[in-house]
Structure formats: C-alpha cells, structure tokens
Amino acid sequence: LYTVLAVAIPLPVRQFLVQPFAAHSTSMHPSMMLGDYFFVSKVAYRSRDPERGEIAVFRLPAEPNIVFVKWVIGLPGERIQMKNGV
C-alpha cells in the first residue's frame, strides 16, 4: 500500500503542478550555477503572462529533448538592444 501511495501521489503533482529541473549550463550564471536544482510551477502562466525578471523554462517544438532556462528580459512589443555586452 505504501509503495502504491509513494508512486501515485507524486506523479499527478509532477504532471500538473510542479516539476523539478537541474541547470545543465552556465547561461544563467551567477544567479544559477551549473547543477543547481529548482522547481517550476506548471500553473503560473495559465492565468497571467510572464513578467520581466522572471525565469521561464520551456522546450522548443523543434528540439523537444532540450529544456531551456532563461530570464524574461523583454515583453511582446518591446525592442531589446545590447551595447558593449550589456
């Protein structure tokens, strides 16, 4: 019974509410280090759009096996420019 509960409870939570991930690159350095673990809410953007400064985790349809973890730095309709690496 305990084995069934140990498997049955986490599966829907992971599928619909939150999912653990690990940082597999240094693109978020220094705020997120290589190998850091974090949880992602799967319900956060069902009722609202992402906001600047939040971290977004997504997969591209062309590369479904790769998980991208990026900062939201621009919103729809905005233009972003880099000058001297900033």
Side-chain angles (χ1 to χ4, degrees):
L1 175 65
Y2 293 114
T3 305
V4 172
L5 289 175
V7 172
I9 292 173
L11 286 177
V13 169
R14 182 178 176 160
Q15 187 68 29
F16 300 109
L17 299 177
V18 295
Q19 184 172 348
F21 285 96
H24 294 293
S25 75
T26 57
S27 67
M28 296 288 289
H29 182 75
S31 59
M32 191 176 295
M33 306 297 285
L34 184 64
D36 281 355
Y37 288 92
F38 56 96
F39 287 92
V40 173
S41 170
K42 292 188 167 191
V43 297
Y45 298 128
R46 289 185 185 163
S47 61
R48 65 176 184 84
D49 291 332
E51 296 177 9
R52 187 178 294 103
E54 293 181 333
I55 296 175
V57 178
F58 58 94
R59 298 175 195 264
L60 295 178
E63 301 179 54
N65 295 330
I66 300 174
V67 176
F68 292 88
V69 180
K70 302 295 176 191
W71 288 106
V72 177
I73 59 168
L75 301 174
E78 294 181 343
R79 295 179 66 168
I80 300 170
Q81 181 179 12
M82 285 188 68
K83 289 185 177 181
N84 301 320
V86 178

